[in-house]
Amino acid sequence: MYGRNDLRASLAAKSAAKAPTGFKDASYAHFYRDPPQESSDLSKDWYVRGQSMVVAYSEAKAGAVFEREDQIDEYAVVLPEDDTEIEIEIDDGTEIASGRSVAFIPAGASKITVRKGGRIVRLITTRSADMVAKCPNAASYEEPDPNVAPFQPWPDPVGGRKIRVYSGSVEPEEGRFGRLYRGSTIMVNMGDGRVGPRAPDNLSPHHHEDFEQYSVGLDGDYVHHLRWPWISDSTTWRDDDHEPCGTPSVAVIPPPTTHTSQGMAEGLNRLLDVFCPPRIDFSTKPGWVLNADDYPMPESGIEE
């Protein structure tokens, strides 16, 4: 049940899904306390995976370079801060992403050069085995989550192969949830966060039937509350999670857990929520996805 004034309460109810027969643990990555998996004079890089996606979080200085040689599918790069700037190159052209922004980069060879340092979040599907290998929790998903639907990319974007960069500072609008951007593989919600602790009597516990939620903690402190359903096999029952996470961090929330995240810091609490592949329910809400004209939805499987 969503909290007061939560626009997600308007989402259409999904038809009943197949009853689960087993469950996956959540994955938590505490980047703020754990050493980076890779480190150089120009960048410190942390990695974590879920069933469908790898989150690569970097604290980078000007001059740092991130390259993909044979990237199998489109990936996303998020700049969560106002004073970061990167140059993105592919064979077909170059684009600059500056300030809060989301970029979608096509498959194949690409190069990201940091022009003004800051935090950089790369979001890449687990089809890229080299990225999976960097994740310290990679073994946790050797046995796939039985409740996550098989990954299927969405249609290619309108206009063919090119880099697409979108501002993450679009003004809020009444009736629109967050700032949603989708590519062919990934959906990103860039919210502004909340200042101060979230009221304990106004949380938004909800669940997803067959897809994960990746909550990337950018600022503040959180407690991620998770509850697994009871099924007839009591040997699968699990205790609730109430996982405290500082920032930066990532919570990979598996379906069909009931979950809600509670900001706890007195200052800014801010999450970046990511889904892989994009969400149909968000996409069918008129005006919610800001770059919907560039990325068509699948012709089948669309729910009204």
Side-chain angles (χ1 to χ4, degrees):
M1 179 177 292
Y2 293 107
R4 296 186 296 274
N5 303 316
D6 193 317
L7 292 170
R8 290 172 295 178
S10 66
L11 294 172
K14 196 171 182 182
S15 57
K18 181 179 70 174
T21 57
F23 301 104
K24 202 78 171 173
D25 288 327
S27 284
Y28 302 104
H30 303 88
F31 299 154
Y32 60 95
R33 74 181 189 202
D34 295 336
Q37 280 70 59
E38 296 178 331
S39 184
S40 71
D41 291 340
L42 293 177
S43 181
K44 295 179 180 179
D45 312 307
W46 291 261
Y47 301 88
V48 68
R49 69 161 295 183
Q51 169 104 353
S52 59
M53 193 181 72
V54 172
V55 178
Y57 175 92
S58 298
E59 295 175 354
K61 297 178 181 178
V65 174
F66 304 96
E67 291 190 81
R68 302 295 297 157
E69 293 183 359
D70 297 302
Q71 175 61 32
I72 193 169
D73 50 16
E74 186 181 68
Y75 69 103
V77 178
V78 178
L79 305 183
E81 298 176 308
D82 290 330
D83 54 357
T84 308
E85 185 172 279
I86 60 175
E87 180 181 80
I88 308 168
E89 301 175 65
I90 61 172
D91 291 342
D92 303 88
T94 300
E95 294 288 343
I96 301 298
S98 184
R100 289 192 189 188
S101 53
V102 181
F104 293 97
I105 304 174
S110 60
K111 179 180 178 181
I112 298 170
T113 302
V114 180
R115 295 166 50 134
K116 296 180 182 178
R119 298 186 290 177
I120 297 170
V121 183
R122 288 170 291 155
L123 307 165
I124 299 177
T125 74
T126 51
R127 296 177 68 198
S128 292
D130 64 316
M131 297 298 290
V132 170
K134 297 175 186 289
C135 300
N137 71 329
S140 299
Y141 293 87
E142 289 179 353
E143 184 70 29
D145 188 332
N147 301 309
V148 175
F151 173 77
Q152 290 290 335
W154 282 28
D156 291 336
V158 175
R161 176 183 167 81
K162 62 181 179 180
I163 303 160
R164 293 166 171 82
V165 180
Y166 304 98
S167 170
S169 298
V170 175
E171 288 296 318
E173 184 177 302
E174 186 176 354
R176 191 189 74 219
F177 179 69
R179 295 185 191 89
L180 290 165
Y181 305 86
R182 70 169 182 250
S184 62
T185 58
I186 288 174
M187 173 178 277
V188 176
N189 183 19
M190 290 190 71
D192 290 321
R194 301 167 185 252
V195 175
R198 187 172 182 180
D201 66 346
N202 191 26
L203 303 182
S204 294
H206 63 284
H207 76 282
H208 311 303
E209 295 288 356
D210 60 2
F211 61 87
E212 301 165 305
Q213 177 169 317
Y214 294 72
S215 289
V216 182
L218 296 172
D219 301 289
D221 295 291
Y222 281 87
V223 175
H224 299 289
H225 303 286
L226 278 73
R227 171 168 290 180
W228 282 261
W230 284 9
I231 61 175
S232 59
D233 181 359
S234 65
T235 64
T236 69
W237 295 357
R238 297 174 182 238
D239 293 336
D240 292 351
D241 268 4
H242 301 282
E243 181 75 12
C245 285
T247 53
S249 60
V250 178
V252 183
I253 301 170
T257 55
T258 297
H259 60 275
T260 188
S261 297
Q262 183 178 11
M264 304 299 289
E266 293 298 327
L268 177 64
N269 297 285
R270 182 165 60 122
L271 291 174
L272 179 75
D273 282 334
V274 187
F275 307 93
C276 177
R279 290 179 60 162
I280 286 286
D281 56 353
F282 281 179
S283 294
T284 53
K285 296 292 289 184
W288 278 26
V289 178
L290 295 173
N291 65 334
D293 290 344
D294 292 341
Y295 283 90
M297 288 193 289
E299 292 183 2
S300 61
I302 296 175
E303 299 177 358
E304 296 298 337

